[in-house]
Amino acid sequence: MADITRRFGWRHLRGAPTAHVRHHRSGRLVHDGPGLSFWYRSLTAALSEVPVDDRELAMTFHARTSDFQDVAVQATVTYRVVDPAVAAARLDFSIDPDTGAWRGTPLEQLGSLLTETAQQHALDVLARTSLASALVDGVAAVRERIAGGLAAEPRLPATGIEVVAVRVVALRPEPEVERALRTPAREQIQQDADKATYERRAVAVERERAIAENELASQIELARREEQLVDQRGTNARREAEEHAAADAVRAGAEAARTVRLAEAEATRALRLAEAEATRKVRLAGAEAQAEREVGAARAEAQAAWLRVHADVDVSTLHALTGTRLAENLPRIDSVTVSPDVLTGLLAKLGNPDAGDER
């Protein structure tokens, strides 16, 4: 849209480089070209602004294939106005001299023209194509057919329009049909995924089996080595036992020899002690026997002397001595009870001592 300002009843228009402005005053062309800037009176000016830049027109329409399936076509057409004078003459590009806004809707008219022309050619090619072919090769076919149809359309050059490019974004069937079409592919993908899963599991099982075999082989090898280790340990233990036994035998022999030597020494010492003790006892016995012989001799000599002495003493003296000795050896008598019979006998003996001697 042109930039218009007001000054004292005059208007000033400043156009863009991509907008072609045509200024007519009293039916005469005064200004014509893109990016113009000029003063004018709004009461006598007739202005039109035609965009000359590339325009993108997005369109979406429905078509039917040869197997009576609806598809949605999404396309984009790039165009430009190559003859602004012709376009301004065929379409209403006039603008308000006070505001600069278009009085009509020329771009919508141009878009309708392009959309209907493109739709006509797209419907023509899709009506002879099945849905499966349209989904596979339909995009290129529709793009080529729309581009060729728009290039051959006589109304576009007559309007000053040139088509720069045509792009078909997508051909989409109805959602139900699309889901139905996706099902086999989805099933195939799922089957492929399941197959890959099974193969992966088979590989995993094979690897696990190989790992298990390796572990079993390792365990067998370990068991074999452990058996060798046990045998070696047994051999070592036997050798150690034999060495210990030999050492014990040597120690036992040495201990026995030492014990024998000690026993012999102890026996010799005991024998010597016994001999010394026997000698001492013999000597002591001889000494005691000699002493006893001497004592016996002395006693015999004393007894003989005693007997000799007593032999010379009379009988009454001996009786007195005997009584004295007997009295010395008797126990102590505190009191004596003499019965009349004993007293009579004693008195009789004392009165007649001879009678006692006779008895």
Side-chain angles (χ1 to χ4, degrees), residues 9 28 42 49 56 59 83 103 121 129 135 179 190 198-199 212 217 231 250 266 277 306 314 335-336 343 359:
R28 184 167 54 90
S42 61
E49 183 181 21
E56 300 284 342
M59 58 185 70
D83 194 344
R103 296 179 183 273
H121 294 289
T129 307
L135 294 178
R179 284 194 295 270
Q190 186 64 39
Y198 297 150
E199 291 178 354
D231 294 339
V250 172
E266 186 67 22
E277 183 67 19
W306 186 77
D314 57 358
S335 62
V336 176
L343 183 59
R359 286 197 296 263

mmCIF file of all heavy atoms in Angstrom, residues 9 28 42 49 56 59 83 103 121 129 135 179 190 198-199 212 217 231 250 266 277 306 314 335-336 343 359:
data_model
loop_
_atom_site.group_PDB
_atom_site.id
_atom_site.type_symbol
_atom_site.label_atom_id
_atom_site.label_comp_id
_atom_site.label_asym_id
_atom_site.label_seq_id
_atom_site.Cartn_x
_atom_site.Cartn_y
_atom_site.Cartn_z
ATOM 1 N N GLY A 9 -4.047 20.714 1.162
ATOM 2 C CA GLY A 9 -4.918 20.338 0.045
ATOM 3 C C GLY A 9 -4.236 19.486 -0.996
ATOM 4 O O GLY A 9 -4.907 18.993 -1.918
ATOM 5 N N ARG A 28 -5.221 11.535 -18.605
ATOM 6 C CA ARG A 28 -3.896 11.531 -19.211
ATOM 7 C C ARG A 28 -2.917 10.944 -18.207
ATOM 8 O O ARG A 28 -2.926 11.269 -17.034
ATOM 9 C CB ARG A 28 -3.508 12.978 -19.564
ATOM 10 C CG ARG A 28 -2.167 13.090 -20.298
ATOM 11 C CD ARG A 28 -2.024 14.508 -20.880
ATOM 12 N NE ARG A 28 -2.211 15.502 -19.841
ATOM 13 C CZ ARG A 28 -1.215 15.996 -19.079
ATOM 14 N NH1 ARG A 28 0.009 15.553 -19.245
ATOM 15 N NH2 ARG A 28 -1.498 16.921 -18.186
ATOM 16 N N SER A 42 -6.089 15.195 -5.092
ATOM 17 C CA SER A 42 -6.927 14.011 -4.990
ATOM 18 C C SER A 42 -8.184 14.106 -5.852
ATOM 19 O O SER A 42 -8.719 13.079 -6.269
ATOM 20 C CB SER A 42 -7.326 13.783 -3.523
ATOM 21 O OG SER A 42 -8.075 14.898 -3.031
ATOM 22 N N GLU A 49 -2.064 0.955 -8.193
ATOM 23 C CA GLU A 49 -0.802 0.413 -7.689
ATOM 24 C C GLU A 49 -0.789 -1.097 -7.963
ATOM 25 O O GLU A 49 -1.628 -1.849 -7.467
ATOM 26 C CB GLU A 49 -0.663 0.664 -6.182
ATOM 27 C CG GLU A 49 0.660 0.180 -5.602
ATOM 28 C CD GLU A 49 0.748 0.424 -4.091
ATOM 29 O OE1 GLU A 49 -0.321 0.578 -3.456
ATOM 30 O OE2 GLU A 49 1.854 0.440 -3.534
ATOM 31 N N GLU A 56 3.575 -15.536 -3.577
ATOM 32 C CA GLU A 56 3.332 -16.954 -3.294
ATOM 33 C C GLU A 56 1.843 -17.136 -3.038
ATOM 34 O O GLU A 56 1.250 -16.473 -2.192
ATOM 35 C CB GLU A 56 4.124 -17.421 -2.065
ATOM 36 C CG GLU A 56 5.633 -17.291 -2.173
ATOM 37 C CD GLU A 56 6.210 -18.377 -3.051
ATOM 38 O OE1 GLU A 56 5.519 -19.385 -3.290
ATOM 39 O OE2 GLU A 56 7.349 -18.215 -3.522
ATOM 40 N N MET A 59 -2.519 -22.960 -2.228
ATOM 41 C CA MET A 59 -3.866 -23.432 -2.558
ATOM 42 C C MET A 59 -4.033 -24.863 -2.082
ATOM 43 O O MET A 59 -3.076 -25.660 -2.059
ATOM 44 C CB MET A 59 -4.092 -23.350 -4.072
ATOM 45 C CG MET A 59 -3.094 -24.135 -4.906
ATOM 46 S SD MET A 59 -3.310 -23.898 -6.672
ATOM 47 C CE MET A 59 -2.757 -22.213 -6.847
ATOM 48 N N ASP A 83 3.428 -7.196 -16.757
ATOM 49 C CA ASP A 83 2.918 -6.047 -17.537
ATOM 50 C C ASP A 83 1.921 -5.296 -16.667
ATOM 51 O O ASP A 83 0.723 -5.587 -16.681
ATOM 52 C CB ASP A 83 2.261 -6.532 -18.826
ATOM 53 C CG ASP A 83 2.029 -5.393 -19.818
ATOM 54 O OD1 ASP A 83 2.099 -4.219 -19.390
ATOM 55 O OD2 ASP A 83 1.777 -5.688 -20.989
ATOM 56 N N ARG A 103 -9.218 -0.053 -3.813
ATOM 57 C CA ARG A 103 -10.677 0.055 -3.797
ATOM 58 C C ARG A 103 -11.325 -1.326 -3.953
ATOM 59 O O ARG A 103 -12.412 -1.569 -3.447
ATOM 60 C CB ARG A 103 -11.144 0.981 -4.931
ATOM 61 C CG ARG A 103 -10.674 2.421 -4.783
ATOM 62 C CD ARG A 103 -11.165 3.251 -5.961
ATOM 63 N NE ARG A 103 -10.672 4.627 -5.902
ATOM 64 C CZ ARG A 103 -11.281 5.617 -5.247
ATOM 65 N NH1 ARG A 103 -12.400 5.384 -4.588
ATOM 66 N NH2 ARG A 103 -10.764 6.835 -5.249
ATOM 67 N N HIS A 121 -6.479 -28.381 -14.085
ATOM 68 C CA HIS A 121 -5.484 -29.296 -14.638
ATOM 69 C C HIS A 121 -5.171 -30.440 -13.675
ATOM 70 O O HIS A 121 -4.927 -31.580 -14.109
ATOM 71 C CB HIS A 121 -4.208 -28.518 -14.967
ATOM 72 C CG HIS A 121 -4.400 -27.525 -16.076
ATOM 73 N ND1 HIS A 121 -4.580 -27.888 -17.392
ATOM 74 C CD2 HIS A 121 -4.452 -26.154 -16.065
ATOM 75 C CE1 HIS A 121 -4.706 -26.823 -18.148
ATOM 76 N NE2 HIS A 121 -4.641 -25.743 -17.352
ATOM 77 N N THR A 129 -5.907 -41.331 -12.825
ATOM 78 C CA THR A 129 -4.866 -41.988 -12.030
ATOM 79 C C THR A 129 -5.499 -42.656 -10.813
ATOM 80 O O THR A 129 -6.387 -42.081 -10.163
ATOM 81 C CB THR A 129 -3.816 -40.970 -11.564
ATOM 82 O OG1 THR A 129 -3.329 -40.253 -12.710
ATOM 83 C CG2 THR A 129 -2.656 -41.654 -10.870
ATOM 84 N N LEU A 135 -0.566 -41.636 -5.082
ATOM 85 C CA LEU A 135 0.249 -41.476 -3.875
ATOM 86 C C LEU A 135 1.719 -41.730 -4.146
ATOM 87 O O LEU A 135 2.578 -41.170 -3.458
ATOM 88 C CB LEU A 135 -0.252 -42.424 -2.781
ATOM 89 C CG LEU A 135 -1.664 -42.128 -2.249
ATOM 90 C CD1 LEU A 135 -2.058 -43.167 -1.215
ATOM 91 C CD2 LEU A 135 -1.749 -40.726 -1.661
ATOM 92 N N ARG A 179 -5.390 -44.308 6.905
ATOM 93 C CA ARG A 179 -5.128 -45.302 7.952
ATOM 94 C C ARG A 179 -5.175 -46.718 7.381
ATOM 95 O O ARG A 179 -4.371 -47.575 7.741
ATOM 96 C CB ARG A 179 -6.153 -45.151 9.075
ATOM 97 C CG ARG A 179 -5.885 -43.964 9.994
ATOM 98 C CD ARG A 179 -6.706 -44.073 11.253
ATOM 99 N NE ARG A 179 -8.136 -43.971 10.974
ATOM 100 C CZ ARG A 179 -8.821 -42.834 10.956
ATOM 101 N NH1 ARG A 179 -8.202 -41.678 11.209
ATOM 102 N NH2 ARG A 179 -10.107 -42.828 10.700
ATOM 103 N N GLN A 190 5.924 -53.809 11.248
ATOM 104 C CA GLN A 190 5.880 -54.533 12.509
ATOM 105 C C GLN A 190 6.461 -55.929 12.363
ATOM 106 O O GLN A 190 7.190 -56.419 13.245
ATOM 107 C CB GLN A 190 4.427 -54.615 13.014
ATOM 108 C CG GLN A 190 4.284 -55.216 14.399
ATOM 109 C CD GLN A 190 4.961 -54.373 15.460
ATOM 110 O OE1 GLN A 190 4.905 -53.153 15.394
ATOM 111 N NE2 GLN A 190 5.608 -55.024 16.416
ATOM 112 N N TYR A 198 13.232 -61.067 16.699
ATOM 113 C CA TYR A 198 13.506 -62.494 16.822
ATOM 114 C C TYR A 198 14.962 -62.800 16.466
ATOM 115 O O TYR A 198 15.617 -63.613 17.140
ATOM 116 C CB TYR A 198 12.569 -63.282 15.926
ATOM 117 C CG TYR A 198 11.114 -63.157 16.293
ATOM 118 C CD1 TYR A 198 10.104 -63.244 15.339
ATOM 119 C CD2 TYR A 198 10.740 -62.918 17.628
ATOM 120 C CE1 TYR A 198 8.774 -63.121 15.687
ATOM 121 C CE2 TYR A 198 9.414 -62.787 17.984
ATOM 122 C CZ TYR A 198 8.418 -62.883 16.998
ATOM 123 O OH TYR A 198 7.114 -62.747 17.355
ATOM 124 N N GLU A 199 15.430 -62.179 15.373
ATOM 125 C CA GLU A 199 16.824 -62.405 14.991
ATOM 126 C C GLU A 199 17.769 -61.911 16.072
ATOM 127 O O GLU A 199 18.772 -62.567 16.393
ATOM 128 C CB GLU A 199 17.118 -61.696 13.668
ATOM 129 C CG GLU A 199 16.403 -62.326 12.472
ATOM 130 C CD GLU A 199 16.677 -61.573 11.187
ATOM 131 O OE1 GLU A 199 17.330 -60.503 11.268
ATOM 132 O OE2 GLU A 199 16.240 -62.033 10.115
ATOM 133 N N ALA A 212 27.727 -69.390 27.685
ATOM 134 C CA ALA A 212 27.565 -70.509 28.615
ATOM 135 C C ALA A 212 28.589 -71.604 28.339
ATOM 136 O O ALA A 212 29.166 -72.194 29.269
ATOM 137 C CB ALA A 212 26.146 -71.073 28.506
ATOM 138 N N ALA A 217 33.357 -74.406 29.675
ATOM 139 C CA ALA A 217 34.745 -74.785 29.388
ATOM 140 C C ALA A 217 35.693 -74.204 30.434
ATOM 141 O O ALA A 217 36.633 -74.875 30.881
ATOM 142 C CB ALA A 217 35.125 -74.306 27.988
ATOM 143 N N ASP A 231 46.037 -82.544 43.602
ATOM 144 C CA ASP A 231 47.092 -83.560 43.538
ATOM 145 C C ASP A 231 48.432 -82.991 43.977
ATOM 146 O O ASP A 231 49.184 -83.623 44.743
ATOM 147 C CB ASP A 231 47.194 -84.107 42.115
ATOM 148 C CG ASP A 231 45.943 -84.877 41.712
ATOM 149 O OD1 ASP A 231 45.213 -85.322 42.619
ATOM 150 O OD2 ASP A 231 45.688 -85.026 40.494
ATOM 151 N N VAL A 250 64.440 -88.311 63.296
ATOM 152 C CA VAL A 250 65.768 -87.847 63.722
ATOM 153 C C VAL A 250 65.704 -87.285 65.130
ATOM 154 O O VAL A 250 66.546 -87.582 65.993
ATOM 155 C CB VAL A 250 66.301 -86.806 62.722
ATOM 156 C CG1 VAL A 250 67.586 -86.161 63.250
ATOM 157 C CG2 VAL A 250 66.551 -87.457 61.369
ATOM 158 N N GLU A 266 72.261 -91.689 84.719
ATOM 159 C CA GLU A 266 71.507 -91.770 85.960
ATOM 160 C C GLU A 266 71.716 -93.123 86.640
ATOM 161 O O GLU A 266 71.858 -93.214 87.865
ATOM 162 C CB GLU A 266 70.024 -91.556 85.665
ATOM 163 C CG GLU A 266 69.145 -91.470 86.891
ATOM 164 C CD GLU A 266 69.423 -90.239 87.722
ATOM 165 O OE1 GLU A 266 69.986 -89.252 87.165
ATOM 166 O OE2 GLU A 266 69.074 -90.223 88.903
ATOM 167 N N GLU A 277 76.150 -95.985 99.296
ATOM 168 C CA GLU A 277 75.225 -96.172 100.412
ATOM 169 C C GLU A 277 75.412 -97.553 101.041
ATOM 170 O O GLU A 277 75.378 -97.707 102.271
ATOM 171 C CB GLU A 277 73.789 -96.003 99.891
ATOM 172 C CG GLU A 277 72.719 -96.089 100.965
ATOM 173 C CD GLU A 277 72.777 -94.928 101.931
ATOM 174 O OE1 GLU A 277 73.385 -93.875 101.592
ATOM 175 O OE2 GLU A 277 72.207 -95.022 103.035
ATOM 176 N N TRP A 306 78.451 -108.492 138.356
ATOM 177 C CA TRP A 306 77.287 -108.388 139.273
ATOM 178 C C TRP A 306 77.002 -109.729 139.908
ATOM 179 O O TRP A 306 76.703 -109.830 141.089
ATOM 180 C CB TRP A 306 76.097 -107.879 138.451
ATOM 181 C CG TRP A 306 74.891 -107.591 139.306
ATOM 182 C CD1 TRP A 306 74.622 -106.574 140.111
ATOM 183 C CD2 TRP A 306 73.794 -108.462 139.421
ATOM 184 N NE1 TRP A 306 73.437 -106.657 140.736
ATOM 185 C CE2 TRP A 306 72.878 -107.876 140.311
ATOM 186 C CE3 TRP A 306 73.456 -109.705 138.909
ATOM 187 C CZ2 TRP A 306 71.671 -108.466 140.652
ATOM 188 C CZ3 TRP A 306 72.238 -110.271 139.265
ATOM 189 C CH2 TRP A 306 71.370 -109.659 140.102
ATOM 190 N N ASP A 314 75.081 -112.919 151.187
ATOM 191 C CA ASP A 314 74.190 -113.928 151.700
ATOM 192 C C ASP A 314 72.799 -113.764 151.131
ATOM 193 O O ASP A 314 72.468 -112.764 150.544
ATOM 194 C CB ASP A 314 74.168 -113.879 153.241
ATOM 195 C CG ASP A 314 73.758 -112.494 153.734
ATOM 196 O OD1 ASP A 314 73.549 -111.594 152.836
ATOM 197 O OD2 ASP A 314 73.575 -112.300 154.937
ATOM 198 N N SER A 335 47.620 -96.004 149.257
ATOM 199 C CA SER A 335 47.088 -96.644 150.494
ATOM 200 C C SER A 335 47.057 -98.135 150.261
ATOM 201 O O SER A 335 46.921 -98.599 149.125
ATOM 202 C CB SER A 335 45.674 -96.122 150.789
ATOM 203 O OG SER A 335 44.801 -96.461 149.722
ATOM 204 N N VAL A 336 47.223 -98.890 151.355
ATOM 205 C CA VAL A 336 47.229 -100.356 151.301
ATOM 206 C C VAL A 336 46.185 -100.842 152.308
ATOM 207 O O VAL A 336 46.163 -100.379 153.469
ATOM 208 C CB VAL A 336 48.606 -100.936 151.659
ATOM 209 C CG1 VAL A 336 48.563 -102.465 151.701
ATOM 210 C CG2 VAL A 336 49.652 -100.450 150.690
ATOM 211 N N LEU A 343 47.004 -110.304 157.051
ATOM 212 C CA LEU A 343 47.781 -109.832 158.217
ATOM 213 C C LEU A 343 48.153 -110.997 159.135
ATOM 214 O O LEU A 343 49.284 -111.075 159.634
ATOM 215 C CB LEU A 343 46.959 -108.780 158.975
ATOM 216 C CG LEU A 343 47.675 -108.164 160.168
ATOM 217 C CD1 LEU A 343 48.984 -107.469 159.765
ATOM 218 C CD2 LEU A 343 46.749 -107.157 160.883
ATOM 219 N N ARG A 359 58.572 -123.626 153.377
ATOM 220 C CA ARG A 359 57.601 -123.678 152.312
ATOM 221 C C ARG A 359 58.187 -123.184 151.026
ATOM 222 O O ARG A 359 57.888 -123.685 149.988
ATOM 223 C CB ARG A 359 56.337 -122.814 152.622
ATOM 224 C CG ARG A 359 55.423 -123.474 153.672
ATOM 225 C CD ARG A 359 54.050 -122.781 153.594
ATOM 226 N NE ARG A 359 54.183 -121.378 153.966
ATOM 227 C CZ ARG A 359 53.931 -120.897 155.175
ATOM 228 N NH1 ARG A 359 53.532 -121.683 156.142
ATOM 229 N NH2 ARG A 359 54.106 -119.651 155.465
#
